[in-house]
Amino acid sequence: MPINVHSELPAKKIMEEENIFMMDELRAGSQDIRPLKIAILNLMPLKEETEVHLLRCLSNTPLQVEVSFISTASYIGSNTSKNHLDQFYLTYEDIKDNKYDGFIITGAPVENMKWEDVIYWDEVTKIMEWSKTHVTSTLHICWGAQAGIYYHYGIDKHELNRKISGIYSHMVHNRKEPILRGFDDVFLAPHSRYTEIKVEEVKANPELTVLAESEEAGLFLVMAGKGKQFFVFGHPEYDRLTLDKEYRRDLAKGINPEIPHNYYINDNPDIKPLLTWRSHSNALYTNWLNYYVYQNTPYEWK
């Protein structure tokens, strides 16, 4: 799919080197096509890395997508340059009057904190409330999924006695839902988190449908209503070496982490891990864009 991004965005060059068709705003403007407008609230500290992860996931349909990146104004991290944020990112004040076909809220490294202690919590909840009336479908990822299901449905997170990290097997439920088209009965996906949303608490809410879960890692995919909101509790967007980087980072910090589950061959961190989840990750994002964004969004927002 042609992805329309700022012509100077560093992620654009990386994607082109992977032979993924990228389109800058100049070429997109010459086409008589109404592109899907997708906004991404990027709460991850390594924003440029996350940009690549998500743009890669959005690159597998023939639809033209215009992507805007959003950051919080109430907190500016130190891992991304101010120049990058000024050039490529908007804030809520910039977008509050806009309508978007799709919206993505990423994870964030704050899951051990109470919701109200997160410095940008009020801003994120304002954006979540705004998304109910200004977005066709919203996809929440990891901490974003936990935060979203707490804000919208009052289901709180629970601390785990150890970090869930690795590649886990998941069972598909309600496979007739379009977002699961092309999925096998069992599929692999990464998780990386210290907290969880309990399956039984979600199943007790009639507005929510569990679409995929893991015996070892718990919830993976939950749908609200007919697809207005999705909550993805893993990280299907991760690339081959993301968990490796996290593992080595934690080692360097002296945290003494467990080796990520089912990730390294023979649990040997010196062997390059296999990429075993990309096809289902692509299917998830492609199905979301097609069936819940493109098929449902109005041609012109009123």
Side-chain angles (χ1 to χ4, degrees), residues 238-244 263 272-275 277-278:
Y238 271 10
D239 68 19
R240 182 193 304 269
L241 295 178
T242 308
L243 287 174
D244 177 72
Y263 180 54
K272 185 178 182 179
L274 297 176
L275 184 58
W277 61 92
R278 176 66 58 78

Side-chain angles (χ1 to χ4, degrees), residues 188-204:
L188 298 174
H191 286 261
S192 178
R193 50 188 168 80
Y194 291 92
T195 57
E196 69 172 346
I197 299 292
K198 292 190 177 297
V199 175
E200 58 269 22
E201 294 181 13
V202 172
K203 289 182 176 179

